[in-house]
Amino acid sequence: MSVGAAQAQTEDSPWWLSLELTNNKFKFRFWEGLYDFGQLDNAGFRVGVERYLNSSFDLEVGFSHGNLIYENLFDATVTDLGVRVAYKFDNGYILKKESKLAPYVHLGTGIGWIGNVAEGGSLIFQEFDGESFGAINFGGGLKFKATENAEINARANYQKSYNDTPDYMQYSLGVSFSLSRKKDSDGDGIYDSEDGCPNEAGPTENQ
């Protein structure tokens, strides 16, 4: 017998795979370029694996690759590998765990590589061709819990380099899928975490 509403990431469904389309925005001076949404040729992709830690925190490891272009000054590709810790607002303290909309913020670190810097741009950026860098990343996003085992995710992530490599913002939109198989000990089609009698099929009175 079910005793609660269906939820997405929980202790019983800890592993998730995320697939996202990205759009990278080059930071030139101050915040210039980060919000140039009219430039759509900075497309890329991101793949991540998320791990539920508790009701407030998730851990994620991700890999992304895409273009990083800014007007006629910079034209290259950027690849990064990073780890993040996300703080979820649908933790039962701020928003209900059953909330369909789940905002979050995240903080992490990682490494990246700049490659394929095109000739003809600003000479000050030519030196970064083939350059690797370490970075801190931070940002936030919003998940929509479409089903118990699938979410739609939109986020913005700022990559701040530890050296002189250009910083950039990565916007992404994608989906996440559960990789876990929930336990149903009595085989009645109701997961143990939602079953009032997990070892006896049927209504709770059967227990």
Side-chain angles (χ1 to χ4, degrees), residues 1-12:
M1 179 180 177
S2 177
V3 296
Q7 299 175 24
Q9 286 177 292
T10 65
E11 187 174 359
D12 290 328

Side-chain angles (χ1 to χ4, degrees), residues 135-164:
I136 183 173
N137 63 75
F138 55 90
L142 180 67
K143 291 183 177 180
F144 174 74
K145 301 173 185 177
T147 70
E148 185 177 19
N149 297 310
E151 300 172 335
I152 299 172
N153 187 21
R155 71 173 120 201
N157 176 60
Y158 183 65
Q159 292 271 14
K160 173 63 177 176
S161 173
Y162 292 137
N163 54 25
D164 294 328

Side-chain angles (χ1 to χ4, degrees), residues 49-64:
V49 177
E50 303 174 14
R51 178 64 164 87
Y52 173 89
L53 299 179
N54 56 44
S55 61
S56 294
F57 293 98
D58 287 342
L59 178 68
E60 183 192 33
V61 176
F63 166 86
S64 77

